[in-house]
Amino acid sequence: MSTYEQLLAQVVATAGEGETREVFDPATGDLIGIAPVQGVAELEAAIDRAEAAQPAWAALSDDERIAYLNRAADAIEAAAEPLAELLSREQGKPLNGPNARFEVGGCVAWTRAAAGTPLPVEVLIDDESGYAEMHYRPIGVVGAISPWNWPMMISIWQIAPSLRMGNTVVLKPAETTTLSVLALVKVMNEVLPEGVLNIVPGPGRTVGDALTRSPRIGKIMFTGSTPTGKRIIEASAPNVTRLTLELGGNDAGIVLPDVDPKEIAENLFWGAFINTGQTCAALKRLYVHDDVYDEVVEELAKVAANMPMGVGLEDQNVLGPLQNKAQFDIVDRLVESAKSSGARVVMGGDPDRDQPGYFYPTTLIADIDAHQDLVLEEQFGPALPIIRYSDVDEAVKLANELEVGLGASVWSSDRDKARELAARIQAGTVWINSHGGLHPMVPFGGAKQSGYGREFGTLGLKAVAEPQVVSG
Ligand code: NAD
């Protein structure tokens, strides 16, 4: 089993290798290592390897590929601690809480789920009108492009089902979390056959763009922002490349007047602040009924005050820094704009801008206008706007008025009432009395401009396959 130092040594760039980038710990500003930066030539070579390996991989039986995936999950599990430490240092998320160790555990769970989900041949008709069955064939080479917020787990969501279905993969990780994903792939490749899983660490605008334009890529699995998703649609259109797009969100939560504020406060907190708010399906705007507004804000603030933020490797911390300066600046700008609009700062909103790390304090902003920038734009950080409402129809209208619709939540002590309200909300998932929980068997994806396609479960496996009817 490798130590952190051994794992890091296997993925950092070697001197004279070509272009490189220094990687700094977002909590301390310390240098972690030097990452390789590859280009389009290396991408083409990776696609060559993936194409060469694909027929033999597809020719294996489903059971053989399942066994490989389970062995990959075992390998991740065996390297869990060094992987979590590297993720914590590079991404910034703490080891503990729903963070780095949790993410590596998620990689194991999702890999095993992709291996364990049954996908039998479906008989569509079998009567006097005819016989037809549905098969799910490999597409070929899948291009995977992942973001920096949950860099390992989201890469796994793209890789594991693709491999299960007989495709090979070329993965491009986000620029600022390259080392973590290189390490994950390194560990998986200890057990996978040569050429099946390939990684090209490089910029989105060159390597990512070339991947989406390549006629040799049959399907793109993309998770990232909506503007990049739109670019990918255009770039891939000439080849009619299949796409699964998991894009940005600005999830609403609606709290009904019948809740017990104390009871829901902790779930509200984690719904909004998991991964220090840098989560696609985090609660990003909270609409609370006037009857319980003050109490909900107060209880939420009490929970938030007890959640330590700091350097990820220190055991007590459950919140960390923003992953990069650009994201820190977005959160800072949106909170400053909320403050100058006259909204009430319940806590936070006062970052130390001269610190070496990108820590933004846990921030609750109350009595904010429903059309303030912090409400309308995705903050992707630890700052939650809490909007007061008195008419539930108005709250639903506000929840639905944005172009995105990844997740949403309804909070009520009456489950039937909450389910009725859920049906009126335009989002890929509506949670009741919690927000953001994912399960490898439950399909996940967005409505409207939060993307299309679904990951996880049987729907997720079908999404990385070519449906083929055999009839007669
Ligand atoms: P981003 O779109 O900037 O980058 C995502 C990935 O795309 C990176 O690997 C990047 O290098 C690559 N990329 C950039 N330009 C490209 C191009 N022209 N062609 C191909 N690839 C390109 O997003 P980000 O800042 O890394 O991630 C944050 C965003 O991702 C947020 O909006 C968040 O909501 C969203 N997100 C969505 C989900 C989801 O499941 N829906 C999950 C996590 C994050």
Side-chain angles (χ1 to χ4, degrees):
M1 204 191 91
S2 313
T3 61
Y4 164 77
E5 287 75 16
Q6 288 164 337
L7 189 66
L8 181 67
Q10 290 177 339
V11 294
V12 289
T14 42
E17 190 181 317
E19 207 186 318
T20 56
R21 194 175 55 76
E22 292 180 314
V23 180
F24 296 98
D25 182 333
T28 60
D30 295 345
L31 183 70
I32 301 170
I34 311 282
V37 178
Q38 297 183 341
V40 174
E42 284 96 343
L43 173 71
E44 293 300 332
I47 300 175
D48 289 345
R49 290 195 299 278
E51 272 188 335
Q54 200 270 331
W57 179 248
L60 294 179
S61 68
D62 195 30
D63 283 346
E64 286 170 316
R65 285 195 300 270
I66 288 170
Y68 269 117
L69 281 176
N70 280 324
R71 263 179 266 150
D74 293 343
I76 300 168
E77 207 161 30
E81 269 306 293
L83 283 171
E85 185 174 340
L86 179 53
L87 177 62
S88 179
R89 286 177 192 261
E90 184 180 46
Q91 205 283 338
K93 62 181 69 190
L95 281 173
N96 292 325
N99 292 298
R101 287 183 173 128
F102 171 84
E103 179 165 349
V104 176
C107 291
V108 175
W110 257 269
T111 303
R112 290 204 199 291
T117 304
L119 194 60
V121 174
E122 295 163 21
V123 176
L124 303 170
I125 47 165
D126 182 11
D127 56 24
E128 64 287 351
S129 68
Y131 182 84
E133 54 187 29
M134 179 67 97
H135 294 256
Y136 290 90
R137 309 292 192 199
I139 296 174
V141 181
V142 170
I145 302 175
S146 56
W148 49 259
N149 57 341
W150 293 88
M152 289 187 183
M153 190 149 74
I154 291 176
S155 297
I156 284 287
W157 293 351
Q158 302 172 334
I159 297 167
S162 299
L163 295 182
R164 163 73 192 280
M165 298 311 290
N167 309 288
T168 53
V169 173
V170 176
L171 168 68
K172 196 212 81 66
E175 289 88 326
T176 56
T177 46
T178 294
L179 293 175
S180 303
V181 185
L182 279 169
L184 176 73
V185 168
K186 182 99 201 152
V187 166
M188 295 177 81
N189 275 339
E190 283 164 15
V191 298
L192 292 173
E194 173 87 29
V196 162
L197 173 58
N198 307 276
I199 179 165
V200 186
R205 58 173 201 289
T206 54
V207 174
D209 183 67
L211 186 61
T212 60
R213 286 180 196 281
S214 174
R216 300 197 285 158
I217 297 294
K219 164 104 194 184
I220 293 285
M221 299 287 291
F222 173 74
T223 295
S225 65
T226 299
T228 307
K230 290 180 182 176
R231 263 178 237 126
I232 289 174
I233 294 170
E234 282 182 19
S236 63
N239 299 314
V240 198
T241 311
R242 277 80 180 119
L243 301 176
T244 291
L245 301 176
E246 301 285 2
L247 308 179
N250 193 346
D251 290 9
I254 300 179
V255 178
L256 299 184
D258 63 7
V259 296
D260 175 348
K262 235 192 219 9
E263 210 171 281
I264 63 168
E266 187 153 348
N267 274 1
L268 278 176
F269 176 81
W270 283 118
F273 292 94
I274 185 166
N275 202 28
T276 316
Q278 303 161 102
T279 297
C280 46
L283 177 47
K284 290 173 181 149
R285 44 195 177 117
L286 183 61
Y287 300 90
V288 182
H289 193 276
D290 194 31
D291 287 358
V292 286
Y293 187 90
D294 293 332
E295 229 188 313
V296 167
V297 171
E298 193 183 320
E299 293 300 330
L300 189 51
K302 274 192 215 160
V303 172
N306 285 317
M307 297 293 181
M309 177 184 284
V311 175
L313 297 183
E314 292 170 7
D315 269 346
Q316 74 281 7
N317 294 324
V318 294
L319 300 169
L322 274 310
Q323 203 276 324
N324 53 71
K325 176 71 164 58
Q327 197 57 47
F328 179 95
D329 290 344
I330 291 172
V331 176
D332 197 18
R333 169 177 62 79
L334 289 173
V335 173
E336 286 307 309
S337 113
K339 280 157 68 178
S340 56
S341 78
R344 173 164 63 96
V345 180
V346 178
M347 64 189 291
D350 54 348
D352 172 1
R353 296 183 185 84
D354 301 323
Q355 63 187 329
Y358 306 131
F359 288 102
Y360 197 94
T362 304
T363 298
L364 296 176
I365 303 285
D367 295 317
I368 183 168
D369 186 272
H371 294 107
Q372 215 286 317
D373 289 352
L374 179 60
V375 179
L376 300 181
E377 286 182 43
E378 184 186 32
Q379 68 279 53
F380 217 63
L384 180 68
I386 310 170
I387 305 106
R388 195 188 287 267
Y389 78 86
S390 51
D391 171 6
V392 73
D393 292 336
E394 177 63 13
V396 171
K397 187 165 163 254
L398 292 169
N400 286 339
E401 75 180 355
L402 301 188
E403 286 169 340
V404 285
L406 187 55
S409 54
V410 179
W411 304 73
S412 169
S413 56
D414 181 340
R415 194 159 165 268
D416 290 335
K417 204 196 288 174
R419 284 158 56 95
E420 268 172 43
L421 202 59
R424 298 171 58 196
I425 297 178
Q426 298 161 355
T429 304
V430 182
W431 288 276
I432 295 172
N433 294 331
S434 69
H435 195 115
L438 301 179
H439 187 288
M441 294 308 294
V442 179
F444 172 68
K448 304 198 283 185
Q449 292 195 20
S450 288
Y452 44 67
R454 291 292 180 270
E455 296 182 289
F456 316 160
T458 40
L459 221 49
L461 291 182
K462 290 176 181 178
V464 280
E466 192 60 60
Q468 184 190 52
V469 170
V470 177
S471 180

